[in-house]
Amino acid sequence: MKIAIAGSVATDHLMTYPGRFTDSLVVGSLDTISLSFLVDDLVVRRGGCAANICFGLGSVGLEPLLVAAVGSDWSDYQAWLERHRVNTAAVKVSTERHTARFLCTTDQDLNQIASFYSGAMCEARDIEIGAVAQQFGGLDLVLIGPDDPDAMLHHTDACRSLGIAFAADPSQQMARMDGDQIRLLIDGAAYFFTNEYERALTTQKTGWTDEEVLARVGVRITTHGARGAVIERNGNRPVSVGVPKEKAKVDPTGVGDAFRSGFLAGLAWGLSDERCGQLGAMLATYVIETQGTQEYRINAEEFLERFKIAYGTTAAVEVAEHLICIY
Ligand SMILES: Nc1ncnc2c1ncn2[C@@H]1O[C@H](COP(=O)(O)OP(=O)(O)OP(=O)(O)O)[C@@H](O)[C@H]1O
Ligand SMILES: [Mg+2]
């Protein structure tokens, strides 16, 4: 199964300021504010939803195709993804803009001052899914994740008109899109992913009821944080999956993306909805246990053992036939 993942690629630059921002704010002079904080620590993390999802798919043995726009500064990131089996041949490299970047400084009270530079992401709208499909001998599924809003609409439209199955995953970009745009993103999707909150936002913004949304997509997957996920198909009973026990809760960033990786891996392996959801929850657990979104390492033996404990022997045997790990 040839899966393409369209969406953002970004790096997060996270700094820590040992003092308090508020100690440097002079009431009465804020109209001429000019501040520079000497920070202690800088951590650079690879992120972006499409890159995170591709990393997860590569980590269990698939070879996803990344569809994104980046800057020429991305060569290290590219090498990293390629080492994790991600095909980067369809990535557009901008000649003018840098890769999207999130810059965030946190002070000792955990107050934050941040900027997000979307950079090359705006050029994702120039990528043609039709041309990508032709270049790679067809695509079986395209996931359209958070990205430049015009790119999301453009890719969805391309999939619909070319008859390529797509998974709608607008996630955080739903906040800034209106009902008309959201309707266009999800109508006719083979799969529709949201968390609980985004599911409510969907009905509120589109004016469609939950039933109407489900009637317009093939499968709806709703994640419920620590309570797992529910998978629904029109006319079938909903399938619920729980979460495996985590070793520690270190950092929840990236759980949503990892869930999608696991779910799509299950699809590519031809497994049931329940198994796909369980794979999603298992990968999300790996992310929770590590700092960052692409720092987890999967060892096949350990993965299968944990999967067996969480979901039983039959489930683990089904997955064992397909799982290939780098580590
Ligand atoms: N606290 C938790 N403990 C165990 N598993 C969790 C927890 N939070 C999330 N998960 C797993 O991750 C999946 C996705 O979580 P969630 O519904 O929070 O996604 P999200 O809100 O889209 O997250 P993100 O912040 O990455 O966008 C869940 O279905 C579950 O499998
Ligand atoms: Mg999310």
Side-chain angles (χ1 to χ4, degrees):
M1 184 174 182
K2 262 187 241 161
I3 301 181
I5 309 292
S8 59
V9 172
T11 51
D12 297 344
H13 297 241
L14 311 171
M15 288 157 279
T16 336
Y17 176 59
R20 293 191 163 89
F21 294 142
T22 46
D23 291 344
S24 303
L25 299 175
V26 182
V27 177
S29 295
L30 293 177
D31 51 340
T32 56
I33 195 166
S34 172
L35 286 170
S36 169
F37 297 100
L38 180 64
V39 296
D40 270 355
D41 191 37
L42 166 66
V43 179
V44 182
R45 296 212 181 283
R46 303 173 193 93
C49 294
N52 290 342
I53 297 172
C54 281
F55 174 86
L57 283 165
S59 296
V60 292
L62 282 101
E63 292 173 2
L65 184 64
L66 175 63
V67 177
V70 300
S72 57
D73 56 338
W74 99 300
S75 48
D76 284 354
Y77 198 164
Q78 177 181 26
W80 164 265
L81 289 172
E82 285 180 352
R83 269 207 310 285
H84 290 88
R85 294 199 179 93
V86 179
N87 185 339
T88 64
V91 171
K92 179 181 194 308
V93 182
S94 169
T95 51
E96 286 162 42
R97 298 175 182 86
H98 293 282
T99 306
R101 193 177 296 191
F102 178 63
L103 295 153
C104 182
T105 307
T106 305
D107 77 359
Q108 69 177 64
D109 293 335
L110 301 184
N111 290 318
Q112 296 188 318
I113 296 181
S115 316
F116 182 71
Y117 165 77
S118 59
M121 212 170 87
C122 65
E123 297 183 28
R125 67 186 72 162
D126 302 330
I127 301 172
E128 294 300 336
I129 293 289
V132 173
Q134 213 162 38
Q135 188 185 348
F136 294 93
L139 295 171
D140 298 306
L141 182 69
V142 180
L143 178 136
I144 298 156
D147 203 342
D148 168 67
D150 285 341
M152 296 167 72
L153 291 162
H154 187 63
H155 296 337
T156 309
D157 202 38
C159 286
R160 240 188 324 253
S161 58
L162 294 166
I164 300 173
F166 66 98
D169 177 21
S171 302
Q172 60 262 35
Q173 290 295 47
M174 280 175 69
R176 60 168 283 169
M177 300 180 99
D178 63 28
D180 288 340
Q181 291 174 316
I182 296 170
R183 279 195 286 269
L184 286 172
L185 289 182
I186 60 184
D187 203 8
Y191 300 88
F192 177 40
F193 289 95
T194 64
N195 64 19
E196 268 176 300
Y197 182 77
E198 292 151 359
R199 177 179 172 140
L201 201 59
T202 307
T203 49
Q204 192 202 71
K205 286 205 174 191
T206 61
W208 288 335
T209 62
D210 263 338
E211 293 69 35
E212 284 169 335
V213 172
L214 185 57
R216 283 170 189 277
V217 303
V219 182
R220 172 170 52 196
I221 304 101
T222 312
T223 60
H224 295 268
R227 285 177 290 115
V230 178
I231 301 127
E232 297 163 287
R233 275 178 197 268
N234 232 330
N236 290 27
R237 284 164 65 97
V239 176
S240 296
V241 299
V243 301
K245 196 167 164 41
E246 74 275 333
K247 293 178 188 162
K249 275 198 171 65
V250 176
D251 173 16
T253 318
V255 279
D257 294 338
F259 181 92
R260 284 143 179 81
S261 304
F263 193 94
L264 295 180
L267 278 185
W269 296 337
L271 302 180
S272 64
D273 290 344
E274 182 184 33
R275 218 59 85 219
C276 291
Q278 292 167 340
L279 280 161
M282 190 72 239
L283 277 194
T285 301
Y286 272 86
V287 165
I288 287 189
E289 294 168 350
T290 48
Q291 195 75 244
T293 58
Q294 298 180 29
E295 303 305 320
Y296 58 97
R297 302 277 167 274
I298 294 177
N299 165 286
E301 208 178 316
E302 191 213 0
F303 185 97
L304 292 170
E305 185 55 30
R306 294 185 71 179
F307 201 78
K308 185 167 97 181
I309 292 168
Y311 304 116
T313 306
T314 311
V317 169
E318 281 179 31
V319 170
E321 283 176 36
H322 306 281
L323 185 70
I324 304 167
C325 296
I326 298 173
Y327 300 99

